[in-house]
Structure formats: structure tokens, C-alpha cells
Amino acid sequence: MLYEKVKQAVGILNELNIDMWLTFVRESEASYDPCLNLILGTNITWQSAFIITRCGKTIAIVGSLDYERVRLTSLYDDIRKYVSSFKEEFLRTLNELNPKIIAINTSKNDYMSDGLTHGMYELLLDFTDGTGFKQRFISSEKIISALRGRKTATEIARIKASIQLTEDIYRQVSDYMKPGQTELEIANFILKKVSSYDVETAWEQNSCPAVFTGPDTAGAHADPTERIIQKGHVLNIDFGVKKDDYCSDIQRTWYFLRDGETAAPAEVIRGFTTIIKSVQMAKDAIRPGMKGWEIDKIARDYIVSKGYPEYPHGLGHQVGRSPHDGAGMLGPRWDRYGNVPYLPIEVGQVYTIEPRLPIDGYGVATVEEMIVVTENGCEWLSHPQKEIYLI
Amino acid sequence: MLYEKVKQAVGILNELNIDMWLTFVRESEASYDPCLNLILGTNITWQSAFIITRCGKTIAIVGSLDYERVRLTSLYDDIRKYVSSFKEEFLRTLNELNPKIIAINTSKNDYMSDGLTHGMYELLLDFTDGTGFKQRFISSEKIISALRGRKTATEIARIKASIQLTEDIYRQVSDYMKPGQTELEIANFILKKVSSYDVETAWEQNSCPAVFTGPDTAGAHADPTERIIQKGHVLNIDFGVKKDDYCSDIQRTWYFLRDGETAAPAEVIRGFTTIIKSVQMAKDAIRPGMKGWEIDKIARDYIVSKGYPEYPHGLGHQVGRSPHDGAGMLGPRWDRYGNVPYLPIEVGQVYTIEPRLPIDGYGVATVEEMIVVTENGCEWLSHPQKEIYLI
């Protein structure tokens, strides 16, 4: 699987006219470069360089004590080990290959391409001082964005398997939930299922699943609480699993009927229907070559046009080896997102679509679906929720 | 516990004459600043600033969706949340406090103080462009080094408890081991014990424990293999646990008697005795104010004087919330260690002492002990191994 991605990287280097992709890291267990799960799959301790060239050479420069575990990955044909000085072996390698353009692991915009710490960047400048190499550094964000974004058939198959398991767990929790339970009870039920299938949660267990019931909930990213599900609550769950290294990320929404009710109240249905419509409009608009913000705007504008506040986050992100996998996002042109909403949508990318809106007095209406971009549009990967689930 | 460290940080800021300590992070689950386990204890998604001032103010600037989980830590008195732009709230805060010196989370030498990515550093420069603040940035490595290094009484007590459990597991594995077993069997036995005590391993399970039996083993940092323990092998284990957030890190060495032997062969005893002697010499020499390299040199020179090669790593590192906790190390003045072997030894620091040497035809002799620095020297935290264990 990683071997497949490393080979894919060589093609991308040629397409982008980049001679060398250099990932410079140290002590990855303390301070992890997100790129390592794509090109290494293990941890290293000492200063290390992982190099892929447009000619297809794969070279690792690692400390002697890290040699064996890097060798066992079988990803690097040429492993150069050192004891006291990384710099010497590193410069020898640069001089030998003499790359004109060197893409390094730094990026202002895409945190998944920004594993190089500033201290390590300064070391890189020190090492190459007076050599002429330091004028050749560019960001590797385009390489990583393409490499993460363009899923191979194997990757899509794994993501589908991960989604299928998630949907299966959602069916079980739907049968299990009832008023009187707490958010934490629901979360624990799901975590037990996750562990019974011998997979991991897609992100840290504190907030995977995230469970929110009723009005005035904490909002996304907060952990499940002792809050009790009551009749008349809208409840939503944000959850995904990681199976064979690939993630799912899906949200679902329920309504708990009050005594005598046989359907959700009109305002709940109106809120939920607005969400479903906005998801469908976004999904229908996606085409390769469009910018992420254009898709976000469609859903956002529609929700606002119906009198709801706009959601305080992006419409969707890419999913793969981690819940956020690939730079480009379906997000608004906000300061804090930098350039990523401006990146083009590409074939093979997997996105979530996840708008939200508050329903006063009830809770939050949201779904999160997953799609894969195709030549002419996109296809559902998840089985989309069309109506609010009633309990 | 974290509250105690945040309060301690205020004292250190005053001692170092630093007005503000600023930790700037984003998406900590993908790319973790090692400092967050000291001053936050949870993850954040959007660009966030965690600020501690010499006056004792604690301010967090976080995205709206991260607000609730930061509030729940109770570590920040003043939490300022934003939706679309971090920059605005950040500049407002800087202008309000007007710090003359701002220590930021970057360091060339100490990876535990180097959580700021280069992309984030560039964002910080962009945000403060034209403000005059950007000339006030310095590295926070001295703050973090002091804060991690100087253990409180509570921290020492927790480390001791972690060591005690590790020594207990070592006794059990010593009773369990016999020739014919593989390194992996030994590792799995230990992992089962770890899980029965409901604690974690101190570092990732692949190499915690690390188990090496016999000659030509892969060397430290490699994972246990199917290699079979044979009579006549020297075997060593590197292992620690994390209990109540504090780690131990201890190594032990065994010899497997051949038929008819009642003691280890002379060359094994000579190698092991050289290690024990070098540990004792290093331990006896430690005084606050000395430099780490001076201690490393004592053990290293002694081992070399006995005709063995020098160990290919530092003599010891600090231990605490993680297996490497505190910048200063007992290490040689090698390029790749930067300035950390030059940092002074301080009261309250907890170090390992872990030399090693190969015994040709048998395996590797090593122990790893833990000590705490006191006013006049240091004290054992572990119960030191004095003789090679025989099985």
C-alpha cells in the first residue's frame, strides 16, 4: 500500500517538474510529521531525510539505531546510516544527485504538508549554508496534496469498507438508543462495537464518536457528556472508524418523539430538510476543476437563504489515511483556511459534505456524507441519510 | 498536575525575564507540539495560541469549535474564541499586553521545544507584519527545558511509582524467560503484564519492550523479532511504563547458562562489570551545575579505556511525562545533539544512565538506571542492577 503511494509520488514529481522530494524529520514519536504515514509507516529517532527523486530513486539517510526499522519497511532502496553527523551524509547525497528543485516538508496552508518544524528548517539552512542548495527549496504541498488526494483503486476500496462498517455500527446504535440515556452511554456503546470489530476510531476516542443531544449542546469537537437524552431532543453523532489504515467520517441525526408525537415537529423537519437539500445541491455541483469554495458557497448560501445562520466551518474535507487527507477542501474563503479553498477539485479525491444548522429549542441538524470525485461529477460513497431518524 | 506546571511556568518566566510565553499550534492531532501535554492536555483543531505571562495571566485564543474542550481543562482564565480569523483576536491580545519579549515554541536544539512548524512560523510573521512584535520573538526552549526538567515532588512520586511497577514486571519476566523462547514471546509476556496493570507502555508498543538476544542483534530501536533465545546468549530488554502520566525507562541484562555452566563466561562478566562500573562512576560524578557532556565523557572514556568501542548514543536523557522530558542530556558533544549536552544539570532533573557495549559472540551488555539530581549530587530512583542475571 505505501509502496503504491511511493511509486505514485514519482509520477507526481515528473508531472510537477520537481527533481527531489525531501522529508526532513527527527524524533517522530514526540513530534510527528503527518507525511510519514504516507512514505514511511514507522517512527524514527535521530535526524533523518527521506528522499524520492523524479528518476524513481528512494534514499533514506538515518541514524544507525534507526537503520533496521527503516530497512524493514522495504520502501527505500538506498539507506545511508550515520552515527555522529547527519550533515555530512546529507550533503554528500545532495552533491551526488545535484537536484535543481528540492521540495521540502513545509506549508503555510496545508497542515498535512507542514511537518517540518521551524527549528529543523533552521538546521536545514545551516547544513546547506554556502552550498547553493538552499535557494532550491520549495514547499512539497503540491506533491503531498496530489498524492493524498488522488486515491488509487485499492484506497477507494478500503475507504468503502471503512464506511460500510461505520454504517453498520450506526444501525446498531440506532436500535440501542432511547430517552434517559446519556451522551456518554451512547459513545461507550459505539466504542464497544468498534473494539469488537477490532478496528480503531478514525480520530481520538475522546471525541470519536462525538454525541450531542438537545438544544445548547457544546458544539462540534467537544467530548460526550453526562447530558441526558430527553423526548423532544434532536441528537447527532459524528463518528468514523479506521480499518486497514483507511478512515470513514460520517454524521447522522435523530429525533426523539415526545409522547403522542408520530412525526418530528415542523421546525425540526424544516431544518433537517434544509440540510439534506444543501448536501444534494453541493453534491450535484461538484466537477473536477472547480474550486472548493464554489461548492461550499452553494450549500452555505442555500442555508442562509432559508433563514438559518451559516455553519461556522467548512462544508467538507478530504478523507483517507487520516480523517483529513489531502489539502484541498470545500471551504469558505476565510483567512484561517489560507489557500486551501482555492485548490482545484481533482478526480479520485474523497470529500465529506457536512453542513449544519441549529434548530432552536431542539438541537443541531446535520449529516455528513462521503463522495468520490469522478470524471464528470462525483458519486456517493456513503448511503446518504434522507430523513431524520425517529426514535 | 498540569495546573501545578502552569503555575511553575510563571515563576520561570520571572526568573528568565520573559514577558510572554506563546505556544502557537493547529490541528494537534495530525501534528503534535510536544509542549501541549504540559500546558493543555487536550487537542485543538484550528489555529490556537496558548499564552502565559510573567504576571500570571493565562490566555487561550481558540476557534469556536475548540472552545468547550479548552474550557474544560480549567487551565486558562481567559479564553478568547474566534470564527473566521485568528489574526484579529491575536493582534488585539498582543496590543493589549504589549510584551517586550515573546518566547515562542521553536528550537533548533531541543525537539521537545520545537513544536512550531515552519509554515506556522511564517504565518506568525505574516500576522505580525508591520507591528513591531516580530522583533520580540525568542525561543521558549529555556522555559520548556526548565519547566520539564525541574520535577515537583508530585512528579517525582509519580515517576517512582512508574519505576516500581516496571521493576515488578522485570521480576516476573525474569521468572518466565527460558531458552527456546523468541524475543517476541518475551515482549508479548511483558505487554500482557502492562495491560493487566491497566497502564500504558512508556513509548510505542512496537519497541517497548525492546528485546535483544544473542550476538548480531539489530541494535536499539529495532522491534523484537522471531529470534530464539539460546543457551550462551546475553539478552537485554529496554522497557518502561507510563502510569498516571509519568514514565519509567529501564534496561536489564541476562545471561543464559550453557549446559554445565554455573556462572557467565569471563568475557561476559568483564563486559557487564565494565558497564556497571561506568554507571557508578557517572552517578558519583553528577553535581548541579555540571554540563551533561562532562558526565557522558566519564562513562564513555572508561569503557573505551577497557578496550570496548564507545556507545553510539548519549549516556542518558531526562524522563518525565514522556521518555524524553527536558532538554539537557548526558550526551557527547556531537553535531547531531546541538547544544543540549552543554546545558547545566539542575536540581530536580531525572536522568537515565544507559551505556552499552558489545560482547563478541554473546550479545550486548547494558543497564539503564534512573536518578534524580539533588543539591549535592544525585540519588538512585531505580534499584540498580549490580550483577548480570543468570537463567
Side-chain angles (χ1 to χ4, degrees):
Chain A
M1 190 72 246
L2 290 190
Y3 185 78
E4 206 174 300
K5 293 309 270 185
V6 168
K7 291 294 139 197
Q8 194 183 359
V10 175
I12 292 169
L13 290 177
N14 280 283
E15 175 187 326
L16 297 173
N17 269 314
I18 294 171
D19 301 308
M20 176 189 280
W21 175 21
L22 163 67
T23 304
F24 182 42
V25 285
R26 68 177 165 196
E27 294 287 350
S28 62
E29 222 178 315
S31 170
Y32 193 75
D33 181 332
C35 194
L36 290 184
N37 78 5
L38 208 57
I39 59 164
L40 187 63
T42 185
N43 278 308
I44 51 79
T45 309
W46 295 1
Q47 292 168 7
S48 307
F50 298 96
I51 292 171
I52 300 174
T53 74
R54 70 187 299 173
C55 308
K57 280 189 184 153
T58 54
I59 302 171
I61 303 170
V62 299
S64 56
L65 294 186
D66 291 321
Y67 175 83
E68 188 58 18
R69 57 163 55 176
V70 172
R71 191 186 66 79
L72 288 172
T73 67
S74 302
L75 292 171
Y76 292 85
D77 298 331
D78 182 355
I79 309 179
R80 305 173 178 198
K81 64 180 169 183
Y82 71 91
V83 173
S84 75
S85 168
F86 169 84
K87 176 183 172 180
E88 222 171 285
E89 197 55 54
F90 177 60
L91 285 181
R92 188 176 305 137
T93 306
L94 285 188
N95 282 315
E96 180 188 318
L97 299 172
N98 195 22
K100 299 288 168 284
I101 299 179
I102 307 171
I104 60 174
N105 46 329
T106 186
S107 168
K108 269 207 264 194
N109 299 295
D110 175 24
Y111 67 90
M112 293 298 279
S113 306
D114 190 31
L116 184 69
T117 64
H118 181 58
M120 288 286 276
Y121 177 77
E122 289 193 304
L123 283 177
L124 207 51
L125 294 190
D126 290 352
F127 294 162
T128 52
D129 196 31
T131 65
F133 287 116
K134 68 195 215 187
Q135 288 74 36
R136 306 183 192 177
F137 294 141
I138 64 168
S139 163
S140 57
E141 65 189 5
K142 283 189 181 162
I143 302 170
I144 295 174
S145 171
L147 187 58
R148 286 201 181 273
R150 299 176 195 169
K151 266 60 177 181
T152 64
T154 321
E155 290 182 291
I156 299 284
R158 291 199 186 186
I159 292 169
K160 275 187 180 165
S162 182
I163 291 172
Q164 191 172 5
L165 186 53
T166 305
E167 291 180 337
D168 197 29
I169 293 175
Y170 266 132
R171 273 185 292 272
Q172 296 177 56
V173 75
S174 200
D175 289 344
Y176 166 80
M177 278 193 293
K178 52 180 188 289
Q181 293 166 337
T182 65
E183 291 174 354
L184 272 169
E185 280 178 83
I186 308 299
N188 288 335
F189 176 88
I190 291 175
L191 289 177
K192 266 187 208 139
K193 291 291 163 197
V194 169
S195 115
S196 78
Y197 287 108
D198 211 16
V199 294
E200 292 171 73
T201 55
W203 57 96
E204 56 169 0
Q205 290 206 354
N206 288 350
S207 58
C208 183
V211 181
F212 305 100
T213 192
D216 312 316
T217 50
H221 297 290
D223 312 338
T225 68
E226 297 285 1
R227 187 187 301 260
I228 292 168
I229 303 175
Q230 291 175 22
K231 293 175 182 181
H233 273 190
V234 168
L235 176 145
N236 43 70
I237 300 182
D238 187 358
F239 166 61
V241 301
K242 182 185 278 192
K243 182 177 184 320
D244 295 331
D245 295 328
Y246 283 78
C247 295
S248 54
D249 184 2
I250 290 177
Q251 294 183 51
R252 292 291 173 255
T253 298
W254 288 260
Y255 175 73
F256 289 81
L257 294 166
R258 284 179 288 217
D259 296 339
E261 281 180 338
T262 54
E267 57 267 56
V268 170
I269 291 177
R270 182 169 175 270
F272 189 78
T273 309
T274 304
I275 285 295
I276 299 307
K277 182 81 191 293
S278 74
V279 169
Q280 188 67 49
M281 288 168 73
K283 193 251 175 195
D284 290 345
I286 290 175
R287 297 280 178 285
M290 286 182 75
K291 308 284 190 272
W293 69 263
E294 298 177 283
I295 304 301
D296 176 86
K297 190 172 187 322
I298 291 168
R300 190 175 299 274
D301 286 355
Y302 177 72
I303 288 170
V304 170
S305 79
K306 292 292 173 184
Y308 297 103
E310 55 181 312
Y311 41 92
H313 52 68
L315 179 67
H317 54 85
Q318 295 185 62
V319 181
R321 299 186 73 82
S322 47
H324 288 223
D325 190 53
M329 74 174 296
L330 313 178
R333 288 167 292 178
W334 290 345
D335 227 29
R336 73 178 189 82
Y337 288 128
N339 79 339
V340 297
Y342 298 88
L343 298 178
I345 293 169
E346 293 189 334
V347 174
Q349 290 176 333
V350 171
Y351 284 99
T352 64
I353 305 182
E354 46 172 319
R356 73 172 48 224
L357 60 82
I359 307 172
D360 286 347
Y362 290 95
V364 171
T366 176
V367 297
E368 180 173 9
E369 306 295 350
M370 290 175 64
I371 60 100
V372 57
V373 181
T374 58
E375 299 286 343
N376 305 311
C378 71
E379 281 169 17
W380 295 116
L381 288 176
S382 55
H383 296 82
Q385 181 178 8
K386 293 296 189 187
E387 293 183 350
I388 194 165
Y389 301 139
L390 297 176
I391 289 180
Chain B
M1 189 70 248
L2 290 190
Y3 185 77
E4 206 175 298
K5 292 309 271 184
V6 167
K7 290 296 139 196
Q8 193 183 1
V10 175
I12 291 169
L13 290 177
N14 280 286
E15 175 187 324
L16 297 174
N17 269 313
I18 295 171
D19 300 309
M20 175 188 282
W21 175 20
L22 164 66
T23 303
F24 181 44
V25 284
R26 68 178 164 196
E27 295 288 352
S28 63
E29 223 179 316
S31 173
Y32 192 74
D33 182 333
C35 193
L36 289 183
N37 78 5
L38 208 57
I39 59 165
L40 187 63
T42 185
N43 278 308
I44 52 78
T45 309
W46 296 1
Q47 291 167 8
S48 307
F50 299 96
I51 291 170
I52 300 174
T53 75
R54 68 187 300 171
C55 309
K57 280 189 184 152
T58 53
I59 302 171
I61 304 170
V62 300
S64 57
L65 293 186
D66 291 321
Y67 175 84
E68 187 58 18
R69 56 161 56 178
V70 172
R71 191 186 66 76
L72 288 173
T73 67
S74 302
L75 292 171
Y76 292 85
D77 297 331
D78 181 355
I79 309 179
R80 304 171 177 201
K81 64 181 170 184
Y82 71 92
V83 173
S84 75
S85 169
F86 168 84
K87 177 182 172 177
E88 225 171 282
E89 197 54 54
F90 177 59
L91 284 182
R92 188 176 305 136
T93 305
L94 285 187
N95 282 316
E96 180 187 318
L97 299 172
N98 195 22
K100 299 289 168 283
I101 299 179
I102 307 171
I104 59 174
N105 46 330
T106 185
S107 167
K108 269 207 263 193
N109 298 297
D110 177 24
Y111 66 90
M112 293 297 281
S113 306
D114 190 32
L116 184 69
T117 64
H118 181 60
M120 288 287 275
Y121 176 78
E122 290 193 302
L123 284 176
L124 207 52
L125 294 190
D126 289 353
F127 293 162
T128 53
D129 196 31
T131 65
F133 287 116
K134 68 194 212 185
Q135 287 75 34
R136 306 183 193 177
F137 293 141
I138 64 168
S139 163
S140 57
E141 63 189 7
K142 284 190 181 161
I143 302 170
I144 295 174
S145 172
L147 188 58
R148 286 200 181 273
R150 300 177 195 168
K151 265 61 178 181
T152 65
T154 321
E155 291 182 289
I156 299 285
R158 290 199 186 186
I159 292 170
K160 276 187 179 164
S162 183
I163 291 173
Q164 191 173 7
L165 186 52
T166 304
E167 292 180 335
D168 196 30
I169 293 175
Y170 266 131
R171 273 186 291 273
Q172 296 177 56
V173 75
S174 200
D175 289 343
Y176 165 80
M177 278 194 292
K178 51 179 187 290
Q181 293 167 337
T182 65
E183 291 174 355
L184 272 167
E185 280 177 83
I186 308 299
N188 288 335
F189 176 88
I190 292 176
L191 289 176
K192 267 187 208 139
K193 291 292 161 195
V194 168
S195 118
S196 77
Y197 286 108
D198 212 16
V199 293
E200 291 172 74
T201 55
W203 57 98
E204 57 169 359
Q205 290 206 354
N206 287 350
S207 58
C208 185
V211 181
F212 304 101
T213 192
D216 312 316
T217 50
H221 296 290
D223 312 338
T225 68
E226 297 285 1
R227 187 187 301 259
I228 293 170
I229 304 176
Q230 292 174 19
K231 294 177 183 180
H233 273 190
V234 168
L235 175 146
N236 43 72
I237 300 181
D238 186 358
F239 166 61
V241 301
K242 183 184 277 190
K243 182 178 182 325
D244 294 331
D245 295 328
Y246 282 79
C247 295
S248 53
D249 185 0
I250 291 178
Q251 294 183 50
R252 292 290 173 254
T253 299
W254 287 260
Y255 175 72
F256 289 82
L257 295 167
R258 284 179 289 214
D259 296 340
E261 280 180 338
T262 54
E267 57 267 56
V268 171
I269 291 179
R270 182 168 175 269
F272 189 78
T273 308
T274 303
I275 286 296
I276 299 308
K277 181 80 193 293
S278 73
V279 169
Q280 188 66 49
M281 288 168 72
K283 192 252 176 195
D284 290 345
I286 290 175
R287 299 278 178 287
M290 286 181 75
K291 307 284 190 273
W293 69 264
E294 298 177 282
I295 304 301
D296 176 87
K297 191 172 186 315
I298 291 168
R300 191 176 298 274
D301 286 354
Y302 177 72
I303 287 170
V304 171
S305 78
K306 291 293 170 185
Y308 296 102
E310 56 182 313
Y311 40 92
H313 52 68
L315 179 66
H317 55 85
Q318 295 185 61
V319 180
R321 299 185 74 82
S322 48
H324 289 224
D325 189 52
M329 75 176 294
L330 313 178
R333 290 167 291 178
W334 290 345
D335 226 29
R336 73 178 187 82
Y337 287 127
N339 78 341
V340 297
Y342 298 87
L343 298 177
I345 293 169
E346 293 189 334
V347 174
Q349 290 176 334
V350 171
Y351 284 100
T352 63
I353 305 182
E354 48 172 317
R356 74 171 47 225
L357 60 83
I359 307 173
D360 286 349
Y362 290 94
V364 170
T366 177
V367 297
E368 180 173 9
E369 307 296 349
M370 290 175 64
I371 60 100
V372 56
V373 181
T374 59
E375 298 287 342
N376 305 312
C378 71
E379 282 170 15
W380 295 117
L381 288 176
S382 54
H383 295 82
Q385 181 178 6
K386 294 297 189 185
E387 293 184 352
I388 193 164
Y389 301 139
L390 298 177
I391 289 178

